[in-house]
Amino acid sequence: MKGLGEFFDRRRDVEIVIFAGKGGLGKTTSSSSLAYYMATVKNKKTLLFSTDPQASLSDIFERDFFGKGVIEIIPNLYVVEIDADRRVADYQNEVKQKIKDMYGLEEVPAEIEEYIDSTSAEPAMYESATYDAMAELVAQKNFDIYIFDMPPFGHGVRMVAMADILSKWIEKITEAREKVVEYDEVAATLKGGGQASEDMVMKELLDIRNKIKNFTDLITDRKRTAFFMVLIPESMAIVDTERALKMFNDLGIEMSGLVVNQIYPVELLQNPNLSEFLKNRILMQQQYLKVIKEKFGDYIVAAVPMFTREPKGLEMIKIASEDLIHSKIKF
């Protein structure tokens, strides 16, 4: 394998890159490394976005980005870690304000307010808020490339599935509103008045639907979106990757490649003083690397070594980036 550099040399039109996989396997390191490469080597205006509820971009870059909006770290490289809880709260307040504006109310009726507040406990609200934030950033078209660090497997599948759920929900609501508008126009004509005033709710629903549809079309477009799974040479990671791939395929998202991470250098086995612990770890990894090759074959695009220290800070991200882009490990 030649690394992700070779992939992106062939696929110059890619606008969105998604890294997915189990937690703790190196998704954040991979997405940060690629973002660093795109910004510094390819000179692309790059946005790195964490959708992980246990966001760790702040940790890896050793700065606090959480809930602070889009922040430029170095020229061309921007980072976002959204505060999904705050976004849900803002959205609820916005809905309440619209109800007051539309119906000329001083206060939202207690039952409705209680219902709106209770939605923050819904399991899908986080995914909805995150997906909405992703779609909004892409719709603004302020960047050349968007790199998303997806949440661990379960959250990731749910979040992508939210696109379809939200889209269908908006479709249903829009159909209902269209009927209401028709009836309003008939009623206005019968009363001898002019055409009913513009339906602001309808306009907003259509805007939301178009935004979701455009973003969903984009992330399922193999020419414009690259989707990578990250795993390590261990049994559970391989099983989870197989399961995730099937579920993502069912959602219309195909894998562009596989990044195998945290590989111990096999050359260490030549060292007569190697500890039994390390020797066993390396032999175990070599076994699972064979399994990965058998199961995923041509999908493997990069193999990244286990680093001698934690990949944190710009200096280590640069080193990790070089290994991701130009893989030196063969197996």
Side-chain angles (χ1 to χ4, degrees):
M1 72 221 64
K2 296 178 180 174
L4 282 186
E6 194 266 346
F7 177 91
F8 284 101
D9 283 343
R10 282 189 287 111
R11 301 277 306 277
R12 295 173 189 272
D13 294 334
V14 168
E15 298 168 51
I16 291 183
V17 184
I18 297 172
F19 285 94
K22 265 171 69 76
L25 305 188
K27 284 186 286 89
T28 305
T29 305
S30 298
S31 51
S32 301
S33 299
L34 180 65
Y36 182 89
Y37 170 76
M38 287 296 176
T40 59
V41 178
K42 293 296 184 183
N43 292 317
K44 285 181 179 268
K45 191 176 178 186
T46 305
L47 180 68
L48 174 59
F49 184 117
S50 176
T51 59
D52 191 335
Q54 296 171 324
S56 47
L57 288 180
S58 289
D59 292 335
I60 197 166
F61 283 100
E62 299 179 317
R63 286 178 57 180
D64 182 13
F65 307 124
F66 186 69
K68 292 184 166 57
V70 177
I71 295 177
E72 185 177 15
I73 304 176
I74 54 175
N76 275 336
L77 177 52
Y78 298 77
V79 167
V80 179
E81 260 182 357
I82 69 158
D83 180 345
D85 291 336
R86 193 174 76 194
R87 195 173 176 91
V88 169
D90 289 346
Y91 178 71
Q92 289 171 324
N93 290 332
E94 196 179 319
V95 170
K96 290 176 191 174
Q97 188 58 49
K98 280 175 183 168
I99 290 172
K100 286 192 279 188
D101 292 344
M102 275 193 296
Y103 296 100
L105 301 172
E106 290 290 325
E107 297 290 337
V108 176
E111 299 82 8
I112 295 175
E113 181 154 20
E114 192 178 326
Y115 172 74
I116 294 170
D117 289 341
S118 71
T119 59
S120 60
E122 290 288 329
M125 281 305 283
Y126 175 87
E127 283 81 4
S128 175
T130 306
Y131 193 87
D132 187 54
M134 289 168 73
E136 190 174 295
L137 283 166
V138 172
Q140 289 168 357
K141 299 183 177 177
N142 290 330
F143 298 90
D144 299 321
I145 189 163
Y146 300 81
I147 299 174
F148 294 109
D149 175 17
M150 287 274 284
F153 171 58
H155 284 284
V157 172
R158 270 203 334 214
M159 202 180 80
V160 175
M162 275 307 299
D164 191 43
I165 295 166
L166 281 173
S167 187
K168 285 176 180 164
W169 181 73
I170 295 287
E171 287 285 346
K172 290 288 179 195
I173 299 289
T174 306
E175 282 173 21
R177 288 299 304 184
E178 280 172 345
K179 288 290 178 194
V180 170
V181 170
E182 281 177 24
Y183 296 146
D184 280 352
E185 286 173 355
V186 171
T189 304
L190 289 174
K191 287 178 183 173
Q195 194 171 8
S197 60
E198 186 181 10
D199 187 331
M200 297 306 292
V201 177
M202 185 72 181
K203 183 176 179 304
E204 186 150 338
L205 286 170
L206 288 172
D207 287 346
I208 295 170
R209 185 184 65 178
N210 291 338
K211 188 171 67 174
I212 290 172
K213 185 176 184 312
N214 290 340
F215 186 57
T216 304
D217 288 347
L218 185 54
I219 65 169
T220 53
D221 183 345
R222 290 207 69 187
K223 290 182 181 170
R224 299 165 70 198
T225 297
F227 171 65
F228 298 102
M229 290 289 293
V230 181
L231 82 166
I232 59 173
E234 288 189 11
S235 174
M236 284 304 296
I238 294 170
V239 171
D240 278 342
T241 300
E242 282 186 300
R243 198 153 48 100
L245 283 178
K246 182 179 180 316
M247 294 184 76
F248 279 120
N249 272 334
D250 291 344
L251 293 167
I253 297 179
E254 292 182 51
M255 179 170 70
S256 304
L258 203 67
V259 175
V260 188
N261 202 19
Q262 300 177 11
I263 302 174
Y264 286 102
V266 69
E267 296 78 21
L268 288 176
L269 291 173
Q270 307 301 321
N271 183 350
N273 299 318
L274 189 67
S275 70
E276 278 299 306
F277 172 80
L278 201 48
K279 180 182 173 185
N280 289 336
R281 294 289 301 177
I282 294 170
L283 290 173
M284 178 203 72
Q285 282 201 343
Q286 289 301 309
Q287 267 189 329
Y288 286 122
L289 286 173
K290 286 180 187 169
V291 176
I292 289 170
K293 195 169 182 180
E294 285 168 8
K295 286 183 178 290
F296 305 112
D298 294 337
Y299 279 119
I300 304 165
V301 291
V304 180
M306 175 72 83
F307 296 106
T308 53
R309 61 191 170 96
E310 201 174 1
K312 291 175 71 173
L314 282 175
E315 186 187 341
M316 278 305 295
I317 290 171
K318 182 183 177 187
I319 292 170
S321 169
E322 287 163 359
D323 279 292
L324 180 73
I325 301 302
H326 307 292
S327 291
K328 303 177 191 77
I329 298 174
K330 309 292 179 193
F331 65 88

